């Protein structure tokens, strides 16, 4: 996978790299303020330029940088207990989802990415509108189900934010805890890819 990722970048022009860098900057500002959005915005530029197949590995690497900065900025607000619950439940299924992604063709990857981007916002709104409240066990179960989405596609971070809020986190603690979880998920994905 790494070789195909490097080969993909060999065919990109400087103008395309500038467009990717500009969108990455914009997406990181949006993600830094809102706590999500990078995984939903960057595929809009990356898929037409590099194709669908390397997008999840590229965004996994990018997310490590973004989330490390967020975790450092909000470190004192991280809910370590909830982060640990999510990571213990989600890492095994995340690895499974990432492994499944490696089996996809370019067309299959495009279908998975597109479906997730289309479904993520209405799913988050449905969770919020239903007044979902998660206990510790509920958070673990939901995280187990969220893991394959996080591992095999982009844009699943918006769902994680909803899960954390349903578990009782608010404000900057949601962004901080999400960042720590996302670092663990990103490392799992990169190890799988």
């Amino acid at each position: 996978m790494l070789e195909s990722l490097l080969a993909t970048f060999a065919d990109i022009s400087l103008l395309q790299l500038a467009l990717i860098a500009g969108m990455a900057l914009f997406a990181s500002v949006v993600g830094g303020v809102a706590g999500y959005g990078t995984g939903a915005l960057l595929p809009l530029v990356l898929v037409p330029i590099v194709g669908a197949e390397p997008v999840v590995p590229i965004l996994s690497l990018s997310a490590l940088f973004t989330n490390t900065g967020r975790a450092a900025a909000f470190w004192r607000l991280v809910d370590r207990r909830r982060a640990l619950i999510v990571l213990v439940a989600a890492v095994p299924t995340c690895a499974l989802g990432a492994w499944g992604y490696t089996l996809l063709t370019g067309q299959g990857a495009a279908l998975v990415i597109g479906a997730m981007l289309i479904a993520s916002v209405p799913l988050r709104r449905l969770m919020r509108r239903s007044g979902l409240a998660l206990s510790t066990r509920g958070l673990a179960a939901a995280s187990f189900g969220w893991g394959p989405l996080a591992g095999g596609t982009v844009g699943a971070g918006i769902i994680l934010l909803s899960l954390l809020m349903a578990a009782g986190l608010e404000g900057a603690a949601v962004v901080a805890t999400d960042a720590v979880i996302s670092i663990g998920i990103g490392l799992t994905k990169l190890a799988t890819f």
Side-chain angles (χ1 to χ4, degrees):
M1 185 64 103
L2 181 60
E3 292 173 7
S4 68
L5 186 62
L6 293 175
T8 300
F9 281 111
D11 296 330
I12 298 175
S13 72
L14 286 176
L15 179 61
Q16 290 170 324
L17 280 174
L19 180 61
I20 292 170
M23 181 57 111
L25 177 63
F26 174 73
S28 70
V29 170
V30 169
V33 171
Y36 68 92
T38 307
L41 293 172
L42 279 175
L44 301 174
V45 171
L46 287 174
V47 171
I49 294 173
V50 301
E53 199 170 346
V55 168
V56 172
I58 290 169
L59 289 181
S60 297
L61 183 59
S62 167
L64 284 177
F65 293 108
T66 303
N67 288 307
T68 300
R70 268 194 282 175
F74 296 107
W75 184 251
R76 62 179 171 49
L77 299 171
V78 173
D79 186 318
R80 288 160 184 76
R81 185 175 78 68
R82 287 188 179 108
L84 185 62
I85 290 166
V86 172
L87 286 169
V88 167
V91 162
T93 57
C94 172
L96 188 60
W99 174 74
Y101 184 83
T102 66
L103 302 176
L104 296 175
T105 63
Q107 187 176 11
L111 182 63
V112 167
I113 290 169
M116 184 61 194
L117 291 175
I118 290 169
S120 64
V121 174
L123 180 60
R124 179 175 186 249
R125 288 188 177 163
L126 178 67
M127 289 170 61
R128 179 185 261 174
R129 197 173 306 139
S130 71
L132 180 68
L134 294 174
S135 64
T136 299
R137 283 186 186 167
L139 179 61
S143 298
F144 185 82
W146 170 77
L149 296 175
T153 189
V154 297
I158 194 169
I159 296 169
L160 176 59
L161 292 175
S162 296
L163 296 177
L164 292 173
M165 288 186 282
L169 291 179
E170 296 177 348
V174 175
V175 174
T177 307
D178 168 77
V180 169
I181 293 166
S182 296
I183 291 168
I185 293 299
L187 291 171
T188 300
K189 290 163 70 170
L190 288 175
T192 305
F193 293 138

